[in-house]
Coordinates of all heavy atoms in Angstrom, one line a residue:
I90 N 16.0 13.1 4.7 CA 16.5 12.7 3.4 C 17.8 13.6 3.1 O 17.5 14.7 2.7 CB 15.5 12.8 2.3 CG1 14.3 12.0 2.5 CG2 16.0 12.6 0.9 CD1 13.0 12.2 1.6
P91 N 18.9 13.1 3.4 CA 20.1 14.0 3.2 C 20.5 14.1 1.8 O 21.2 15.2 1.5 CB 21.2 13.3 4.0 CG 20.8 11.8 4.0 CD 19.3 11.8 4.0
N92 N 20.2 13.3 0.9 CA 20.6 13.3 -0.5 C 19.9 14.5 -1.2 O 18.7 14.4 -1.2 CB 20.4 12.0 -1.2 CG 20.9 12.0 -2.6 OD1 20.2 12.7 -3.5 ND2 21.8 11.2 -2.9
E93 N 20.6 15.5 -1.7 CA 20.0 16.7 -2.4 C 19.1 16.3 -3.6 O 18.1 16.8 -3.8 CB 21.0 17.7 -2.7 CG 21.7 18.4 -1.5 CD 20.7 19.2 -0.6 OE1 19.7 19.6 -1.2 OE2 21.0 19.2 0.6
D94 N 19.6 15.4 -4.4 CA 18.9 15.0 -5.6 C 17.5 14.3 -5.2 O 16.5 14.6 -5.8 CB 19.6 14.0 -6.5 CG 20.8 14.7 -7.1 OD1 20.8 15.9 -7.2 OD2 21.8 14.0 -7.4
I95 N 17.6 13.5 -4.2 CA 16.3 12.8 -3.7 C 15.4 13.9 -3.1 O 14.2 13.8 -3.4 CB 16.7 11.6 -2.8 CG1 17.4 10.5 -3.5 CG2 15.4 11.0 -2.1 CD1 17.9 9.4 -2.5
W96 N 16.0 14.7 -2.3 CA 15.1 15.8 -1.7 C 14.5 16.6 -2.8 O 13.3 17.0 -2.6 CB 16.0 16.6 -0.7 CG 15.2 17.6 0.0 CD1 15.2 18.9 -0.2 CD2 14.1 17.4 0.9 NE1 14.3 19.6 0.7 CE2 13.6 18.7 1.3 CE3 13.5 16.3 1.5 CZ2 12.6 18.7 2.2 CZ3 12.5 16.4 2.4 CH2 12.0 17.6 2.7
E97 N 15.2 16.9 -3.9 CA 14.5 17.7 -4.9 C 13.4 17.0 -5.5 O 12.4 17.5 -5.9 CB 15.6 18.1 -6.0 CG 16.6 19.2 -5.5 CD 15.8 20.5 -5.2 OE1 14.9 20.9 -5.8 OE2 16.2 21.0 -4.1
D98 N 13.5 15.6 -5.6 CA 12.5 14.8 -6.2 C 11.3 14.8 -5.3 O 10.1 14.7 -5.8 CB 12.9 13.4 -6.4 CG 13.9 13.2 -7.7 OD1 13.9 14.2 -8.5 OD2 14.5 12.2 -7.7
V99 N 11.5 14.9 -4.0 CA 10.4 14.9 -3.0 C 9.7 16.3 -3.2 O 8.4 16.4 -3.3 CB 10.9 14.8 -1.5 CG1 9.8 15.1 -0.6 CG2 11.3 13.3 -1.3
K100 N 10.5 17.3 -3.2 CA 9.9 18.7 -3.4 C 9.1 18.9 -4.6 O 8.1 19.6 -4.7 CB 10.9 19.8 -3.2 CG 11.5 19.8 -1.8 CD 12.4 21.0 -1.4 CE 13.1 21.7 -2.7 NZ 14.0 22.7 -2.3
S101 N 9.6 18.3 -5.7 CA 8.9 18.5 -7.0 C 7.7 17.5 -7.1 O 6.9 17.7 -8.0 CB 9.8 18.1 -8.2 OG 10.1 16.7 -8.2
G102 N 7.6 16.6 -6.3 CA 6.4 15.7 -6.4 C 6.6 14.4 -7.0 O 5.8 13.6 -7.1
E103 N 7.9 14.3 -7.6 CA 8.1 13.0 -8.3 C 8.2 11.8 -7.3 O 7.8 10.8 -7.7 CB 9.6 13.2 -9.0 CG 9.8 12.0 -10.0 CD 11.2 12.2 -10.7 OE1 11.5 13.4 -11.1 OE2 11.8 11.2 -11.0
L104 N 8.8 12.1 -6.2 CA 8.7 11.1 -5.1 C 7.7 11.5 -4.2 O 7.8 12.6 -3.6 CB 10.0 10.9 -4.4 CG 11.2 10.2 -5.1 CD1 12.5 10.2 -4.3 CD2 10.8 8.8 -5.5
N105 N 6.6 10.7 -4.0 CA 5.5 11.4 -3.3 C 4.7 10.3 -2.4 O 3.6 10.5 -2.1 CB 4.5 12.1 -4.2 CG 4.2 11.2 -5.5 OD1 4.1 9.9 -5.3 ND2 3.9 11.7 -6.6
G106 N 5.4 9.2 -2.0 CA 4.7 8.3 -1.2 C 5.6 7.2 -0.6 O 6.7 7.1 -1.0
F107 N 5.2 6.7 0.5 CA 5.9 5.6 1.1 C 5.2 4.3 0.8 O 4.0 4.2 0.6 CB 5.9 5.7 2.6 CG 6.6 6.9 3.2 CD1 6.0 7.9 4.0 CD2 7.9 7.1 2.9 CE1 6.7 8.9 4.6 CE2 8.7 8.2 3.5 CZ 8.0 9.0 4.2
S108 N 6.0 3.3 0.7 CA 5.6 1.9 0.4 C 6.4 0.9 1.3 O 7.5 0.9 1.2 CB 5.8 1.6 -1.0 OG 5.4 0.3 -1.3
Y109 N 5.6 0.3 2.1 CA 6.3 -0.6 3.1 C 6.5 -2.0 2.4 O 5.5 -2.6 1.7 CB 5.4 -0.8 4.3 CG 6.1 -1.7 5.4 CD1 7.1 -1.2 6.1 CD2 5.7 -3.0 5.6 CE1 7.8 -2.0 7.1 CE2 6.3 -3.8 6.6 CZ 7.4 -3.2 7.3 OH 7.9 -4.0 8.3
E110 N 7.6 -2.5 2.5 CA 7.9 -3.9 1.9 C 8.4 -4.8 3.0 O 9.3 -4.4 3.8 CB 9.1 -3.8 0.9 CG 9.5 -5.2 0.2 CD 10.6 -4.9 -0.8 OE1 11.6 -4.3 -0.5 OE2 10.4 -5.6 -1.9
G111 N 7.7 -5.9 3.1 CA 8.0 -6.8 4.2 C 7.3 -8.1 4.1 O 6.4 -8.2 3.2
L112 N 7.7 -9.1 4.8 CA 7.1 -10.4 4.7 C 6.0 -10.5 5.7 O 6.2 -10.0 6.8 CB 8.1 -11.5 5.0 CG 9.3 -11.6 4.1 CD1 10.3 -12.6 4.5 CD2 8.8 -12.0 2.6
V113 N 4.9 -10.9 5.3 CA 3.7 -11.0 6.1 C 3.1 -12.4 6.1 O 3.4 -13.1 5.1 CB 2.7 -9.9 5.8 CG1 3.2 -8.5 6.0 CG2 2.1 -10.1 4.4
T114 N 2.4 -12.7 7.1 CA 1.6 -13.9 7.1 C 0.1 -13.5 6.9 O -0.5 -12.8 7.7 CB 1.8 -14.6 8.5 OG1 3.1 -15.0 8.8 CG2 1.0 -16.0 8.4
A115 N -0.4 -14.0 5.8 CA -1.8 -13.7 5.5 C -2.7 -14.6 6.2 O -2.5 -15.8 6.3 CB -2.0 -13.9 3.9

Side-chain angles (χ1 to χ4, degrees):
I90 302 173
N92 180 292
E93 291 298 329
D94 292 333
I95 296 173
W96 183 245
E97 286 302 315
D98 288 344
V99 169
K100 290 190 336 184
S101 73
E103 186 174 332
L104 289 176
N105 49 32
F107 291 125
S108 179
Y109 185 77
E110 181 179 45
L112 298 175
V113 297
T114 302

